[in-house]
């Protein structure tokens, strides 16, 4: 497997895992603060984080498909850092509006999206910078 693809997959999984972990802790602390309900045990917490992880992996697939299609088209060999960052921002804003309607408040929807967006934005830019260096090295070797 291409080392660049390995880095991309690892970064994608790390974003989903860390985002799920952070939001899982936010959700569990909110739930445990409600009087009259039983507190979550550690096994319940792991299950909630696992469900959030699966959910975030599934929801991030459309963005990954967009990236793969744009790379296969090879229309423009310029840097795509700005394009992918804008598309990620639009994607996260759309998810925010979808999920904020289902959550108890707009602030909770904002908490969810910021945990994933900040990590996703940082790792996307890291991956794209590595990819540019990898492409330059391949061109110089030819």
């Amino acid at each position: 497997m291409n080392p660049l693809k390995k880095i991309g997959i690892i970064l994608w999984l790390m974003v989903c895992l860390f985002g799920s972990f952070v939001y899982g802790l936010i959700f569990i602390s909110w739930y445990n603060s409600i009087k009259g309900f039983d507190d979550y045990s550690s096994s319940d917490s792991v299950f909630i984080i696992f469900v959030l992880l699966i959910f975030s992996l599934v929801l991030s697939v459309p963005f990954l498909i967009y990236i793969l299609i744009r790379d296969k088209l090879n229309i423009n060999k310029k840097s795509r850092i700005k394009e992918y960052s804008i598309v990620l921002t639009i994607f996260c804003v759309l998810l925010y509006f979808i999920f904020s309607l289902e959550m108890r408040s707009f602030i909770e929807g904002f908490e969810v999206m910021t945990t994933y967006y900040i990590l996703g934005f940082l790792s996307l830019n890291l991956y794209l910078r590595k990819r540019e260096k990898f492409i330059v090295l391949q061109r110089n070797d030819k």
Side-chain angles (χ1 to χ4, degrees):
M1 179 183 273
N2 185 353
L4 197 59
K5 286 184 181 181
K6 286 182 185 178
I7 291 172
I9 290 171
I10 289 170
L11 287 172
W12 173 55
L13 292 174
M14 282 178 39
V15 167
C16 291
L17 182 64
F18 288 143
S20 299
F21 183 75
V22 168
Y23 185 67
L25 292 178
I26 291 170
F27 176 78
I28 291 165
S29 67
W30 167 78
Y31 185 82
N32 289 341
S33 70
I34 298 174
K35 303 291 183 205
F37 287 102
D38 293 336
D39 288 344
Y40 279 122
S41 66
S42 59
S43 62
D44 293 336
S45 302
V46 170
F47 178 72
I48 288 171
I49 292 170
F50 179 73
V51 169
L52 287 170
L53 174 64
I54 298 301
F55 199 61
S56 65
L57 289 172
V58 169
L59 284 176
S60 63
V61 168
F63 181 70
L64 295 175
I65 290 172
Y66 173 80
I67 289 175
L68 292 174
I69 289 173
R70 285 295 285 165
D71 283 344
K72 296 292 181 192
L73 289 177
N74 290 330
I75 293 172
N76 193 356
K77 289 286 188 179
K78 292 181 190 174
S79 173
R80 293 191 177 143
I81 295 173
K82 193 180 295 185
E83 174 192 353
Y84 289 158
S85 297
I86 291 170
V87 170
L88 177 67
T89 303
I90 291 169
F91 182 70
C92 286
V93 167
L94 288 174
L95 286 177
Y96 166 73
F97 285 123
I98 291 169
F99 288 116
S100 63
L101 296 174
E102 300 299 323
M103 305 231 171
R104 53 185 170 93
S105 69
F106 288 107
I107 293 172
E108 185 183 14
F110 185 72
E111 288 174 347
V112 171
M113 291 317 301
T114 54
T115 55
Y116 290 104
Y117 175 71
I118 292 171
L119 293 170
F121 187 79
L122 292 174
S123 64
L124 175 68
N125 285 307
L126 177 70
Y127 169 73
L128 292 174
R129 302 262 186 225
K130 295 252 187 222
R131 190 179 90 176
E132 278 186 356
K133 289 179 184 177
F134 185 75
I135 290 171
V136 168
L137 287 175
Q138 277 186 331
R139 287 182 190 160
N140 291 337
D141 288 342
K142 289 183 180 180

